[in-house]
Amino acid sequence: MTSSEATSADLRTCVDGLVNAVYKEATQEVARYSLTPLEFNLLRICMERRESTATDLAEVLPVDASRISRVVTGLVDRGFIRRRRLREDRRIVMLRLSEEGEALMSRALLGMEQHDAMLTEGVGEEEMRAFVSVSQKVAANHAALRRAG
């Protein structure tokens, strides 16, 4: 096995373990708030950006625009998101958290922070910075490959 093959195998093994540790447990955590991981991430992005379009969300989240639209409609129906049409261009619909959505996300984010703290227990600040840096580089390489292909 070449060093490149070993690195790829190590990357896949590490990512699989990380997905298992983070995603599966996070799925259970957000379910406590009657949310799916996609709904949680959509609400989190809306909270961070204050307002977004469904197209903006589809660019950031790993699903197509039609699925984003269905999820947004469900979150609007549940009272967590509000829609607002732009006066300048009524075709553009801006999305933002409602008061109920903000309250829900405050509770859910606290739960996720506690979960993340347990997962990163014993990981030093430098190690975390290095992990984040490497993860961002791998993600950027992936995005570049998708754009090129």
Side-chain angles (χ1 to χ4, degrees):
M1 183 182 303
T2 68
S3 118
S4 173
E5 290 169 332
T7 302
S8 291
D10 292 345
L11 174 64
R12 283 189 295 277
T13 300
C14 288
V15 169
D16 288 346
L18 193 58
V19 166
N20 192 41
V22 175
Y23 184 77
K24 287 183 179 181
E25 294 297 323
T27 299
Q28 291 176 351
E29 180 63 33
V30 299
R32 292 178 44 206
Y33 304 96
S34 300
L35 296 172
T36 66
L38 178 58
E39 290 171 330
F40 173 81
N41 284 322
L42 191 147
L43 291 169
R44 181 183 51 78
I45 292 167
C46 285
M47 185 176 218
E48 290 168 359
R49 295 185 174 185
R50 305 300 296 157
E51 276 194 320
S52 294
T53 65
T55 303
D56 294 336
L57 296 170
E59 288 175 5
V60 178
L61 295 167
V63 294
D64 60 61
S66 63
R67 180 133 183 246
I68 295 290
S69 238
R70 289 191 302 274
V71 171
V72 165
T73 297
L75 292 170
V76 167
D77 291 347
R78 291 163 62 192
F80 299 136
I81 290 182
R82 280 188 271 177
R83 292 181 173 124
R84 178 181 70 84
R85 292 197 180 273
L86 291 182
R87 288 183 186 162
E88 313 83 66
D89 187 344
R90 304 271 308 147
R91 295 171 297 176
I92 299 175
V93 178
M94 300 305 295
L95 306 169
R96 77 174 315 149
L97 290 184
S98 65
E99 288 180 21
E100 294 86 357
E102 287 179 11
L104 173 74
M105 285 307 291
S106 292
R107 292 190 312 274
L109 284 169
L110 181 60
M112 290 301 289
E113 287 170 9
Q114 291 169 344
H115 175 259
D116 292 349
M118 288 186 286
L119 288 178
T120 58
E121 188 173 327
V123 178
E125 215 173 292
E126 277 302 310
E127 290 172 305
M128 197 65 197
R129 271 198 288 278
F131 170 75
V132 168
S133 176
V134 169
S135 298
Q136 288 171 336
K137 287 177 185 175
V138 170
N141 290 341
H142 175 259
L145 287 171
R146 289 192 59 128
R147 285 191 299 273

